[in-house]
Amino acid sequence: MAECHPVGFQWVMEAKRRGAKVIHVDPRFTRTSALADTYVPIRAGTDIAFLGGIVNYILDNELDFREYVLAYTNAATIVDEGYQDTEDADGLFSGFDPESGAYDSASWQYQGSDHEPLDTRLGRDTAAPLRHESHGPPLPAQTERDETLQHPRCVYQILKRHFARYTPSAVEQICGIPQEKFREVCEAWTGNSGRERTTALVYSVGWTQHTVGVQYIRAGAIIQLLLGNMGRPGGGVLALRGHASIQGSTDIPTLFNLLPGYLEMPHHARHATFGSWVDAIRNPGQKGFWADARAYAVSLLKAYWGQAATAENDYCYDYLPRMTGDHGTYRQVLDMIEGKVKGYFLLGQNPAVGSAHGRAQRLSMANLEWLVVRDMYLIESATFWKDGPEVATGEIVPGECRTEVFFLPAASHVEKEGSFTQTQRLLQWREKAVDPPGDCRSELWFFYHLGRIIRTKLAGSTQPRDRAVLDLTWDYPVAGQHDEPSAEAVLKEINGYEVDSGAPMTGYTALKDDGSTACGCWIYSGVYKDGVNQAARRRPGAEQDWVAAEWGWAWPLNRRILYNRAAADPSGRPWSTRKAYVWWDAAKGRWTGHDVPDFEVDKDPSYRPPPDASGTAALAGDDAFIMQADGKGWLYVPNGLIDGPLPTHYEPAESPIRNPLYRQQSNPMRKSYPRPDNPVHPVTEVFPYVFTASRLTEHHTAGGMSRQLEYLSELQPAMFVEVSPALAAERGLSHLDWAHVITSRAVVEARVLVTERLTPLRVEGRTIHQIWLPYHWGGAGLTVGDSANDLFGIVLDPNVLIQESKVGTCDIQPGRRPVGRALRRYVDGYLRRAGMKEV
């Protein structure tokens, strides 16, 4: 966090100054480690074993916050009698079909559930669990529970059996963490949790970049729920998503399978009608605010198509695109290699350097008819055709490359206005500081005028296919020398408005399903409440309380902590005076406190719904997790995940060892693309070392901006690789000399940094060496070097289709890498020795 989020890390240091204990778990000793009270080295890709060991420690010693767990989690809920755990099937859950390579998840459901389980095979292609990021999948409103937690099929007992083998000894053998260090973490975490105290779990985006990345976060959430740390001040699970509005880019998505506010993109086979699409989102009969999804969906379509969207034409539902399968970025890359894609837009990304399997990225772009790159500099993705590594190997011939590249200069973040949404779900407005130079333009300018020109060219068309473009609402005010559209006008549309009066919506609870309201993103509704840009508020901290509700605006409805009903006990009283956050005021008959209550403000804690209730009426007065289908925090996921209801330790797709826990080696549901140009290493001594990659403070992501700046390039002037003194001795590597790292995809060279920041680990009775590389370098800029992402292959988490780019296996040798065609022959030699290519 100190390395990649230094501004946010100041608050960790403030907490430490006040007495907080900071524990840092990472394969490499970083700037965060240097400031932590305890540093825990770990083998990359084994976090579930580590976290599972903590779950086992909590349950084995009965250290869970029992009153919280009973009231607010699904610990007491009974699971279907057909369920079998990984303990019963040597690493597989019940329902796995070896022929299809997918699960039938019917047996994972709650007892008595008649809801259709997720189709895991189709769901893997469409990253279906992404649509549950802000809510849970369908479940019955009423579930069978055993409040004594003794029923053998209640979630609590299943949890105990599932994690029983994750002992301190197992953690040591899998992760390489000494048992005394592991127990220190367990004691600190549990000792600082409960009625009077809370612990926060903070992870960076890299935690998701594994074939079990979603289950990493699930494991962390289980711990926080067991210890009563969710929905309470000083607790929670904090995903560090601050860079360049990463949170905003999933809220109002740049993803193929989501619409704004986590509404599901329709699938051609599953959502033939508007009604079937809406019902797939709201799941009729279940609890919670997703019962109002028709209002969110209709309001979105009204924002898109305005007067053209009517009840008679299902609000132009047929204008929406349809998914047919895997349309993710890596499937796209492979389709480009196969000639299935003609053109490509690149905005704010540099896949030639910043995406896994750089060689595949560059070869794919070399097979396009046209490529549009919008950036501030001529990044590697704009010039790959003339100076990329494949030019030297003869795989790309500049004079024969068919791709026509259009480079359009872009404005920087200080040269345009708009909002960022950061890790706290906080929207913060930025004003334009200076005008962009020359022909540089903002993304808003580019897409508005591109749309305007296309609509002009289509004007008068009678083709039905063109109506979706011609009927769009496209009347944003423009001003200035270059007719820049108003970013604030876009924010108003995102906030929503009454169709007849134009009055801004006050929040998502006011949206209607009859076409009388329009809203570009229902979870953002309220950001322009009363006609005021709430994201632009900057009231100084000294003028308000510690929650700082008048600094920016957090979705939904400016709540700063989600599910904060859990900050009070079932009767509505704070768990402790010290941790009071929101509570029930019986005299006023309302929820009140320091934050906007994440609950129906007038719902009495004693309220119990009638048996036939659904939607918000089905939420009891102590159902704190109001977006979940059963109102509970999930220790166990009965529906909605592709690879199992509980986190399970699988080895990464590439590992130096066999799985010590189960016969099943890797995640059986991982999304892979087996083809000759995307090899995956077996367990082999040919690639004996583990490698990982991450960021430096001095450079930013793929380096497109930071490597152009003199002072940052001077601070970190060269691509380098970090190795331990022991590995340096084993391979004959010299400090500051050259070395090259080899995988079956690529070879990259770097300067050697021999450092004790990397600790050799004892795993399964052998020493495991890990190496680390920064991923900021490429061939353009003031400092140039090979790209670490070239080393990774394409294998993905099945739930969200994110790549495993934080762990792989490799070899490292002293000296510089081969050049030209000799480089590919060098890689082929490794493939043959590893048995991955015929001799």
Side-chain angles (χ1 to χ4, degrees), residues 519-806:
C519 179
C521 182
W522 71 273
I523 59 175
Y524 280 24
S525 188
V527 70
Y528 217 87
K529 181 180 178 181
D530 301 325
V532 176
N533 185 344
Q534 307 285 328
R537 298 179 302 169
R538 296 189 184 90
R539 187 175 179 183
E543 297 179 10
Q544 53 180 325
D545 67 18
W546 58 277
V547 175
E550 294 181 60
W551 183 275
W553 185 88
W555 70 261
L557 300 179
N558 205 31
R559 290 170 180 140
R560 301 305 167 111
I561 296 181
L562 287 179
Y563 300 123
N564 58 37
R565 165 65 179 90
D569 69 17
S571 68
R573 294 186 298 270
W575 290 110
S576 72
T577 303
R578 180 174 173 271
K579 286 286 181 180
Y581 194 67
V582 299
W583 56 87
W584 174 252
D585 187 327
K588 295 181 179 179
R590 297 177 63 82
W591 286 91
T592 187
H594 302 294
D595 196 0
V596 176
D598 196 5
F599 206 64
E600 292 173 274
V601 71
D602 57 353
K603 178 166 279 187
D604 193 294
S606 64
Y607 170 79
R608 294 297 178 268
D612 59 346
S614 64
T616 55
L619 289 169
D622 59 355
D623 278 337
F625 291 83
I626 62 172
M627 301 306 286
Q628 295 291 90
D630 55 357
K632 305 298 181 186
W634 285 4
L635 299 166
Y636 170 99
V637 178
N639 196 6
L641 288 181
I642 302 294
D643 51 356
L646 288 170
T648 299
H649 170 70
Y650 297 117
E651 287 294 314
E654 294 184 354
S655 171
I657 67 169
R658 302 300 306 175
N659 190 339
L661 284 189
Y662 307 107
R663 183 166 52 187
Q664 179 61 39
Q665 171 74 357
S666 302
N667 186 344
M669 290 294 294
R670 66 193 181 278
K671 180 70 172 177
S672 57
Y673 302 93
R675 42 191 287 155
D677 56 1
N678 185 42
V680 178
H681 302 165
V683 178
T684 171
E685 286 302 314
V686 175
F687 300 105
Y689 304 123
V690 175
F691 76 100
T692 187
S694 59
R695 298 174 177 175
L696 296 164
T697 306
E698 294 83 0
H699 285 295
H700 184 66
T701 60
M705 292 186 290
S706 56
R707 281 187 280 110
Q708 302 286 347
L709 300 177
E710 291 181 0
Y711 65 94
L712 291 178
S713 296
E714 184 179 5
L715 287 170
Q716 293 286 0
M719 171 65 175
F720 62 98
V721 56
E722 291 194 3
V723 299
S724 68
L727 177 55
E730 182 172 302
R731 271 295 190 257
L733 308 174
S734 299
H735 186 60
L736 300 184
D737 207 343
W738 289 97
H740 56 277
V741 181
I742 311 104
T743 72
S744 59
R745 278 81 52 178
V747 186
V748 303
E749 64 182 17
R751 294 287 186 173
V752 176
L753 181 62
V754 180
T755 173
E756 294 183 354
R757 290 199 289 243
L758 287 164
T759 305
L761 303 173
R762 294 293 294 174
V763 174
E764 288 279 278
R766 58 179 282 196
T767 298
I768 297 293
H769 290 289
Q770 303 190 111
I771 71 172
W772 177 87
L773 306 100
Y775 75 89
H776 308 294
W777 269 268
L782 300 177
T783 169
V784 298
D786 287 350
S787 302
N789 276 318
D790 286 7
L791 296 170
F792 291 103
I794 301 173
V795 58
L796 316 177
D797 177 288
N799 294 290
V800 295
L801 300 185
I802 197 169
Q803 75 286 345
E804 185 158 76
S805 55
K806 291 301 175 189

Side-chain angles (χ1 to χ4, degrees), residues 414-433:
V414 299
E415 296 163 350
K416 55 193 175 187
E417 67 172 355
S419 66
F420 275 99
T421 308
Q422 43 90 304
T423 196
Q424 195 189 346
R425 313 174 323 284
L426 192 71
L427 278 77
Q428 293 175 278
W429 194 259
R430 64 173 192 277
E431 283 82 16
K432 183 174 71 172

Side-chain angles (χ1 to χ4, degrees), residues 195-429:
R195 183 178 290 272
E196 295 291 335
R197 305 187 68 83
T198 52
T199 294
L201 172 61
V202 184
Y203 73 88
S204 293
V205 171
W207 219 25
T208 66
Q209 294 169 6
H210 295 267
T211 48
V212 285
V214 167
Q215 296 286 8
Y216 274 18
I217 289 91
R218 283 285 313 132
I222 289 170
I223 294 172
Q224 293 296 70
L225 285 168
L226 286 173
L227 296 178
N229 287 323
M230 298 298 284
R232 303 179 64 200
V237 178
L238 287 74
L240 296 179
R241 310 193 70 200
H243 286 304
S245 200
I246 295 176
Q247 182 65 52
S249 68
T250 50
D251 298 340
I252 300 181
T254 54
L255 303 169
F256 76 89
N257 61 344
L258 289 182
L259 293 166
Y262 302 94
L263 301 180
E264 181 178 4
M265 181 68 78
H267 188 277
H268 80 102
R270 296 181 59 241
H271 309 126
T273 66
F274 176 69
S276 64
W277 175 60
V278 168
D279 283 348
I281 300 170
R282 66 184 177 132
N283 303 309
Q286 77 173 45
K287 292 185 182 184
F289 280 86
W290 274 99
D292 299 328
R294 180 182 169 89
Y296 315 150
V298 170
S299 297
L300 176 66
L301 298 182
K302 288 294 290 185
Y304 282 166
W305 288 291
Q307 292 182 352
T310 66
E312 290 70 30
N313 64 15
D314 284 334
Y315 303 100
C316 294
Y317 171 68
D318 286 339
Y319 287 175
L320 285 176
R322 301 293 196 269
M323 291 189 294
T324 60
D326 180 359
H327 306 293
T329 181
Y330 288 102
R331 177 69 266 172
Q332 239 175 15
V333 166
L334 300 177
D335 285 347
M336 286 156 64
I337 290 175
E338 294 170 6
K340 298 178 181 178
V341 179
K342 290 186 177 182
Y344 203 46
F345 285 89
L346 284 181
L347 305 96
Q349 59 177 322
N350 187 9
V353 173
S355 294
H357 206 334
R359 176 170 171 258
Q361 303 287 340
R362 295 183 292 269
L363 290 176
S364 69
M365 291 187 289
N367 205 30
L368 295 167
E369 291 184 11
W370 55 265
L371 171 68
V372 175
V373 179
R374 294 192 72 258
D375 210 284
M376 292 180 288
Y377 302 99
L378 276 170
I379 56 174
E380 290 83 356
S381 294
T383 63
F384 69 91
W385 59 274
K386 64 176 183 177
D387 57 16
E390 289 68 38
V391 173
T393 61
E395 295 169 279
I396 296 177
V397 180
E400 299 174 6
C401 181
R402 63 191 293 235
T403 310
E404 186 175 10
V405 180
F406 300 88
F407 181 79
L408 303 179
S412 75
H413 64 284
V414 299
E415 296 163 350
K416 55 193 175 187
E417 67 172 355
S419 66
F420 275 99
T421 308
Q422 43 90 304
T423 196
Q424 195 189 346
R425 313 174 323 284
L426 192 71
L427 278 77
Q428 293 175 278
W429 194 259

